[in-house]
Amino acid sequence: MAEGTNDKGNGSREKSSDEAALSARLGSLDQRLSEIRDGRKIGTGQSGNEQDAAQAKASAMAMGLRLSSELVAGVLVGAGLGWGFDRLLSTSPWGLIVFLLLGFTAGVINVMRTAGVMAKQSDRL
């Protein structure tokens, strides 16, 4: 029984040393995070450039999402209209096929117009 008591005592010592090590690591992590936050708040020249780059990247991502959503919306609207005409007029796949192609074309034109490709082509003519 004496040995069991010693094992528990050693286990609690190991736990307390592990807890102390974890507390030290947590403290150093908190300190590093505070330094990073303070650096962002100060907004030095270098972090300003990084922020500009991050904003440009976010802006490019927003533009990509907008362009892709416009293309998908054109296709979905065309498919919906084609399906509706097929149901009303009983022209099974033809309305869906025609309006799906028209929706795809409209989506591509919207994407090109938004991206500025159409404006550049009309300037050349």
Side-chain angles (χ1 to χ4, degrees):
M1 280 214 178
E3 290 175 4
T5 313
N6 286 339
D7 288 341
K8 288 181 184 176
N10 289 340
S12 65
R13 284 183 189 168
E14 288 177 11
K15 280 185 180 179
S16 63
S17 65
D18 286 343
E19 289 175 8
L22 287 174
S23 291
R25 287 175 58 195
L26 182 61
S28 69
L29 178 64
D30 187 37
Q31 182 181 4
R32 287 187 291 174
L33 286 173
S34 296
E35 290 172 1
I36 291 171
R37 286 186 191 128
D38 291 340
R40 286 184 182 172
K41 287 180 184 176
I42 292 172
T44 62
Q46 184 179 9
S47 67
N49 291 338
E50 291 172 3
Q51 288 175 352
D52 290 343
Q55 286 177 351
K57 186 177 180 181
S59 176
M61 185 178 291
M63 187 65 156
L65 286 172
R66 180 180 174 192
L67 293 175
S68 63
S69 66
E70 285 188 12
L71 179 66
V72 169
V75 171
L76 290 178
V77 168
L81 287 174
W83 179 79
F85 277 113
D86 279 343
R87 296 291 263 180
L88 288 175
L89 304 174
S90 300
T91 57
S92 187
W94 296 109
L96 180 65
I97 292 170
V98 169
F99 278 97
L100 188 67
L101 291 174
L102 287 174
F104 177 75
T105 304
V108 169
I109 289 172
N110 280 339
V111 166
M112 289 173 43
R113 186 181 318 148
T114 304
V117 175
M118 295 294 284
K120 291 177 187 175
Q121 284 182 352
S122 65
D123 290 343
R124 285 190 291 191
L125 296 176

